[in-house]
Amino acid sequence: MAHIINEACVSCGACEAECPVQAISQGEERYQIDPKKCTDCAACVEVCPVEAITKAEG
Ligand code: SF4
Ligand code: SF4
């Protein structure tokens, strides 16, 4: 399981600096999370100004 960034992302970049395992990077349309690196710590969720990061379902 991993966290995901949805279409609400405004590419502010705040989450990237917050991730302790460097799972977040800038994608073509918005920032993205590498599910193989994400540990579900949720540190990124706290800093996102538009609540674009959520825990993946399932
Ligand atoms: Fe990184 Fe934690 Fe966010 Fe996963 S939940 S992308 S490990 S800050
Ligand atoms: Fe996108 Fe939120 Fe990350 Fe900013 S903090 S880049 S709005 S997901």
Side-chain angles (χ1 to χ4, degrees), residues 5 9 12-20 24-25 31-33 43-45 47-49 53:
I5 295 174
C9 173
C12 72
C15 56
E16 183 177 17
E18 209 63 29
C19 182
I24 304 176
S25 61
Y31 274 65
Q32 57 196 9
I33 295 173
C44 55
V45 175
V47 300
C48 181
I53 310 176

Side-chain angles (χ1 to χ4, degrees), residues 3-53:
H3 275 59
I4 54 172
I5 295 174
N6 64 40
E7 63 280 359
C9 173
V10 294
S11 294
C12 72
C15 56
E16 183 177 17
E18 209 63 29
C19 182
V21 295
Q22 284 78 50
I24 304 176
S25 61
Q26 187 168 19
E28 291 200 4
E29 295 186 353
R30 55 181 178 263
Y31 274 65
Q32 57 196 9
I33 295 173
D34 182 343
K36 292 191 292 293
K37 292 182 180 173
C38 178
T39 60
D40 280 339
C41 73
C44 55
V45 175
E46 308 295 322
V47 300
C48 181
V50 293
E51 297 180 4
I53 310 176

